[in-house]
Amino acid sequence: MNRILSKGPRGLNGLLRACPSNFGRSFLCRSTYNVNSRTFWSAPRLRSEDSPSSSQPLKPDPNDGNGNTHRTTSTASSQHTPWYLQEETPIDESRQISSRDQIPELPENSPAILPVLLDYVFKDLGLDELRLLDLRGLETPPPIGANAIMIIGTARSVKHLNVSADRLCRWLRSTYKLTPYADGLLGRNELKIKLRRKARRARVASRAGTTVDEKDDGITTGWICVNAGVVENSPVGEQASRKVEGFGNIVGGTRVVVQMFTEEKRAEVDLEGLWLATIERDRRRRQVSIDTKSDAPHEEVRASTPVQNSSSDHVFGLHSRSSAILPLEQRRGLHSKCRLLGPQTEDNQDDGLDDGLDMSPDSNSTGTDHLAANRTCDKEVATDSLLEHLSGLPDDEALSELGAGQEDTDSTPFLRRFYDALSQMSAEEAAVAQVKLLCTAISRHHLGYSKESLWKAFTTCNYHTYFISDELGIEIVSAMLTALPARQGGPKATGVLPEADRELALRVLEHLSLRGTDILNMKVFHLLYKAASHPTNLSGEEVVKDVTGTTKDRPTSRVAKLIETLDIQFDPEEARKLMMSMFRNEDYDGFWKLWSKLPLNGSPRTSADYEMLFRLHAELGDERRARDCVSTWAPIMSREHPPIPLRGQVVQHIMYCILIAEPAIDRMATAGSTSNLALIWNDCKNNAPARG
């Protein structure tokens, strides 16, 4: 090239002839534009001295002609602005976020966590095409739960899907202390194991010359459902809870469910399409109900009839009463107690009712008739009042009021009034009242009422889906675990609880547990402990040995271990009852554990607790235990919060324990002994109540 150019015009013409025609055109076209010619300089060339940026097109020089030289333009370098001083053109916000990358709008009355959750799912997890469905008020599947808000998002890959679900669960646990459950998310170790097994199957198939076709290998599901659970609690009305059928308790509040898909799986399932159709049907149904109510005719206003005001209205200046005539069955009086019927019925006249209600044992039948006559419009309250009155009677009188048995309905005034109230109730109320009567009769050891009939009545209520409260369910269990009376099976049968009765009680507990009742409480375990303390046959409790030849633990010790292992909620009232049962069953270690837990669980020991403590040791009659109990706990009474004064019945029980530990304590105290028991004995004598 240098040789050709050095030859002058002939060399240049030869070069053009030797090159193709297109090359010549391009070469000539480029020469028509201005070129920033620069003389040779020893310093490096600056970038600011370059031609204008590519954003500004080059313009041809109008003064140039063919063969003319180009001029240098110094204005371009002076007008050029460096890139770090240029101002960025603002981008429209609508172009920054496309339609598939927008956060959906929040529904009305949404929980406080929802906007934060949407922002986290969109920005931090990077899910696309978010869709929010408000399913509150709709019937949703049990795994999702009621009052749910569903968020649907698309992940960009299977790995992005699993990582997003795992991060969301960890964020909900750490930030909001929730317990989310991710259905379809494989654990890290589980994923490794499945991948290892898949690779092993692929190697075996390749050696055999075949291929493994696993469309659903359990790894790439493409769908993960993260159920965050209840994020905002709200109370549930009693009426609403009674309308729902099924198992489990109704939990109020709003649930949030996040459905994560891959793009292919989301298009295949079309979950939002299914729920949108359900929402649209519910909207149409509500609109039809609103239109029906709006088209209904208005209620006719009854003709006003003048009502004569009573004297109390004139005296106290009360407002005038409404002139609308109410139906006869809805007209009620305002009273602070149950209203007695004015005219007496024939049964009342035959039984000889008096105006007053005598609760003394001599006038038992008269009191029962008066209590039954004291009715209100709610017949269920009348039966509950009758059963409450029956529970307050002594055993002999209560057994006589219950009649001959379950088939007896009119032999006593109590039965006549009770079954008369049942005849005016609905089927559900009558069945529940019958169950309550059976529980009361069996707990009083009535021979005419059997536990099999109670079980049959309980199953009948369950078959017809009648509502049985949790308190009544525990009462049924208590009746099933009632030991046989002494008159049934002879004197040796006292305290015997057959195995069949235990099985019936466990069946009732199993049913209560399936429907959502909390049976892991101290009341239930106290019932089980008392049942375990009774033998199953007339010969008493047998010593059972296992295969190794060692004696097995007693049933009561097993129940006590369950109470300690499960760490159930502490109930001070039931704990005190369980303490007495443990002490009388010679489980002294369990007694002292519960005794020490009383102040630790916010229930300080009272004077009644110390009275029970010393009374139980006095009834036990053990010298060593009585001595240790008085020496340890009598001085601690003054250190309790609040302090327990040394007076009342507790003084008598302490003195009984001291006499058991030291029969000659009175002589020793008179002789001036300074022992611990002698000092406590003198304090008790000084504070003992005077005997008249």
Side-chain angles (χ1 to χ4, degrees), residues 241-355:
S241 62
R242 296 186 63 174
K243 293 180 181 178
V244 180
E245 298 179 1
F247 300 106
N249 292 333
I250 297 180
V251 180
T254 304
R255 300 173 181 268
V256 175
V257 179
V258 182
Q259 304 279 5
M260 301 182 182
F261 294 92
T262 57
E263 189 173 359
E264 298 80 7
K265 195 70 174 181
R266 182 170 181 176
E268 176 187 352
V269 175
D270 192 18
L271 186 62
E272 57 262 40
L274 299 175
W275 278 114
L276 286 175
T278 304
I279 294 174
E280 181 63 22
R281 286 195 300 269
D282 182 73
R283 187 191 65 80
R284 290 198 299 266
R285 180 183 58 81
R286 292 184 180 181
Q287 186 65 29
V288 169
S289 62
I290 293 174
D291 295 341
T292 305
K293 291 181 180 180
S294 61
D295 296 339
H298 297 284
E299 297 182 357
E300 296 181 1
V301 181
R302 296 184 179 92
S304 58
T305 304
V307 179
Q308 185 177 2
N309 295 337
S310 64
S311 59
S312 61
D313 295 339
H314 297 288
V315 172
F316 296 101
L318 300 178
H319 295 286
S320 60
R321 299 171 182 168
S322 175
S323 59
I325 299 177
L326 298 177
L328 181 60
E329 62 273 9
Q330 295 182 2
R331 191 175 299 170
R332 300 181 62 183
L334 299 177
H335 300 278
S336 60
K337 60 181 180 179
C338 297
R339 180 169 56 91
L340 294 175
L341 294 178
Q344 293 182 349
T345 59
E346 295 179 0
D347 295 337
N348 294 346
Q349 294 175 0
D350 294 340
D351 296 334
L353 295 177
D354 297 331
D355 294 337

Side-chain angles (χ1 to χ4, degrees), residues 455-633:
W455 170 253
K456 184 177 180 180
F458 177 72
T459 55
T460 302
C461 291
N462 293 330
Y463 177 78
H464 294 286
T465 66
Y466 294 156
F467 177 74
I468 295 181
S469 62
D470 295 344
E471 292 78 9
L472 182 57
I474 301 301
E475 188 177 350
I476 294 173
V477 176
S478 177
M480 292 292 187
L481 296 178
T482 302
L484 296 177
R487 65 176 73 90
Q488 186 173 348
K492 295 183 180 181
T494 304
V496 173
L497 186 61
E499 193 67 32
D501 297 347
R502 303 174 191 239
E503 182 65 25
L504 291 178
L506 292 178
R507 288 184 182 181
V508 176
L509 281 176
E510 182 180 5
H511 178 83
L512 295 177
S513 176
L514 288 176
R515 78 175 193 180
T517 304
D518 182 19
I519 62 173
L520 298 179
N521 52 63
M522 276 199 165
K523 186 173 184 179
V524 174
F525 276 99
H526 182 214
L527 295 176
L528 296 178
Y529 187 90
K530 290 195 302 183
S533 62
H534 296 295
T536 58
N537 47 40
L538 300 178
S539 60
E541 187 177 0
E542 299 179 357
V543 178
V544 183
K545 295 185 178 180
D546 57 7
V547 185
T548 60
T550 58
T551 304
K552 287 187 176 181
D553 294 336
R554 299 171 60 185
T556 52
S557 62
R558 285 180 241 162
V559 177
K561 288 181 180 179
L562 279 176
I563 297 174
E564 186 176 358
T565 304
L566 293 177
D567 193 17
I568 59 180
Q569 186 177 3
F570 190 82
D571 187 355
E573 182 179 357
E574 294 298 330
R576 288 175 169 87
K577 297 178 182 179
L578 182 59
M579 284 165 52
M580 295 183 64
S581 300
M582 286 181 170
F583 193 92
R584 289 170 178 170
N585 201 50
E586 299 180 358
D587 186 6
Y588 305 116
D589 293 337
F591 172 84
W592 289 115
K593 287 180 181 178
L594 290 180
W595 176 265
S596 61
K597 285 184 179 180
L598 285 176
L600 298 178
N601 289 272
S603 178
R605 290 184 281 259
T606 61
S607 179
D609 296 333
Y610 278 96
E611 181 181 345
M612 174 195 68
L613 174 66
F614 295 116
R615 185 182 72 251
L616 291 175
H617 282 83
E619 293 174 355
L620 181 62
D622 187 277
E623 178 183 352
R624 181 180 63 83
R625 294 188 179 276
R627 181 186 299 274
D628 294 342
C629 178
V630 174
S631 301
T632 305
W633 293 103

Side-chain angles (χ1 to χ4, degrees), residues 65-296:
N66 294 332
N68 297 333
T69 59
H70 301 281
R71 297 180 304 175
T72 60
T73 57
S74 60
T75 57
S77 60
S78 60
Q79 295 178 356
H80 175 66
T81 305
W83 63 270
Y84 50 85
L85 296 179
Q86 294 178 3
E87 296 183 359
E88 295 184 359
T89 305
I91 303 176
D92 190 4
E93 294 182 358
S94 60
R95 297 181 180 178
Q96 290 182 357
I97 301 177
S98 60
S99 59
R100 68 189 300 268
D101 297 331
Q102 292 181 357
I103 298 179
E105 297 181 358
L106 298 177
E108 297 181 357
N109 300 325
S110 60
I113 190 180
L114 190 58
V116 185
L117 178 61
L118 284 172
D119 190 73
Y120 181 81
V121 169
F122 177 70
K123 296 181 179 180
D124 294 352
L125 300 184
L127 297 183
D128 299 331
E129 297 182 10
L130 293 182
R131 190 68 179 270
L132 190 144
L133 301 178
D134 190 0
L135 307 182
R136 292 176 292 182
L138 299 180
E139 184 177 355
T140 53
I144 295 179
N147 297 329
I149 294 178
M150 184 178 294
I151 302 173
I152 303 177
T154 303
R156 293 165 187 154
S157 63
V158 176
K159 185 175 182 180
H160 182 211
L161 177 70
N162 288 273
V163 171
S164 299
D166 183 69
R167 288 184 59 190
L168 178 60
C169 293
R170 292 173 182 271
W171 180 74
L172 290 173
R173 292 191 193 102
S174 61
T175 306
Y176 292 96
K177 308 303 179 183
L178 299 176
T179 55
Y181 175 74
D183 193 2
L185 175 63
L186 297 178
R188 299 180 179 179
N189 294 331
E190 185 179 4
L191 182 60
K192 292 179 181 178
I193 293 173
K194 289 197 173 187
L195 289 175
R196 191 181 301 117
R197 291 176 179 174
K198 185 178 179 180
R200 188 184 301 115
R201 287 194 298 268
R203 288 195 300 269
V204 172
S206 63
R207 293 171 185 173
T210 60
T211 58
V212 179
D213 186 12
E214 295 182 354
K215 295 182 179 179
D216 188 6
D217 54 1
I219 301 175
T220 58
T221 57
W223 182 6
I224 297 178
C225 175
V226 179
N227 193 336
V230 178
V231 298
E232 187 176 62
N233 293 322
S234 62
V236 179
E238 182 179 358
Q239 297 296 333
S241 62
R242 296 186 63 174
K243 293 180 181 178
V244 180
E245 298 179 1
F247 300 106
N249 292 333
I250 297 180
V251 180
T254 304
R255 300 173 181 268
V256 175
V257 179
V258 182
Q259 304 279 5
M260 301 182 182
F261 294 92
T262 57
E263 189 173 359
E264 298 80 7
K265 195 70 174 181
R266 182 170 181 176
E268 176 187 352
V269 175
D270 192 18
L271 186 62
E272 57 262 40
L274 299 175
W275 278 114
L276 286 175
T278 304
I279 294 174
E280 181 63 22
R281 286 195 300 269
D282 182 73
R283 187 191 65 80
R284 290 198 299 266
R285 180 183 58 81
R286 292 184 180 181
Q287 186 65 29
V288 169
S289 62
I290 293 174
D291 295 341
T292 305
K293 291 181 180 180
S294 61
D295 296 339

